Amino acid sequence: AQSVTQLGSHVSVSEGALVLLRCNYSSSVPPYLFWYVQYPNQGLQLLLKYTSAATLVKGINGFEAEFKKSETSFHLTKPSAHMRDAAEYFCAVRAGGGSNYKLTFGKGTLLTVNP
Amino acid sequence: DSGVTQTPKHLITATGQRVTLRCSPRSGDLSVYWYQQSLDQGLQFLIQYYNGEERAKGNILERFSAQQFPDLHSELNLSSLELGDSALYFCASSVTGGEQFFGPGTRLTVL
């Protein structure tokens, strides 16, 4: 079974500041990990994914995440926040391999970017 | 635009009624997934279909059912609706084991 915990339901940063959104996972098998972004009144868009290759994963819009097995973490970062980054961010996990491809999502973190 | 389409965009209905949500996957994707997003439960996996066959079930109520047709579009049927069924329902599609692409969702309001 898999589960995801996102620490902080709301993160507020200033424009130009570092963005750090935290995600810890639990998985009984090697996981695949994902970060999705949801803008208001829209569906989910994939930012990046970890599928057991490089532990540092680069995604779209300047975001990246590092898979740390020892800490069971997959935190999302961006060096410099833009106003357009304001959205809700979801971390998700699924079992790597096999035939069960369902995604288990965290509760989400709402990112606010202040001018 | 993810290439996944969902209709209708909004649906308002009364308790006890039945509704059908429709999803068309991206061209070439054989897998379709349904998720429910609500304020109290967050994003929850409901069910997965692959090429017309049910592959996995999540937290789907017995009042809910789904199917995938030969042209690969999928429908989610919700019956005996309750106030608590009000939520955003997302469809996603993928090639086998690949990245899931999400549609824009159907917002269901049960009055």
Side-chain angles (χ1 to χ4, degrees), chain A residues 36 38 46 90 94 101 103, chain B residues 35 37 45 90 97 99-100:
Chain A
Y36 283 86
Q38 185 179 27
L46 182 68
F90 292 91
R94 59 158 267 218
Y101 303 128
L103 292 172
Chain B
Y35 293 86
Q37 185 179 33
F45 168 75
F90 287 108
E99 168 188 339
Q100 293 182 28

Side-chain angles (χ1 to χ4, degrees), chain A residues 45-94:
Chain A
Q45 180 183 10
L46 182 68
L47 279 177
L48 48 79
K49 60 185 177 184
Y50 166 77
T51 56
S52 74
T55 55
L56 182 62
V57 181
K58 294 188 184 298
I60 62 171
N61 302 339
F63 285 94
E64 64 180 39
E66 185 171 10
F67 172 70
K68 291 188 177 180
K69 185 178 177 181
S70 61
E71 298 177 9
T72 61
S73 69
F74 191 57
H75 301 330
L76 182 71
T77 60
K78 181 173 180 177
S80 177
H82 291 272
M83 297 295 290
R84 61 176 176 265
D85 295 327
E88 188 150 27
Y89 293 78
F90 292 91
C91 183
V93 65
R94 59 158 267 218

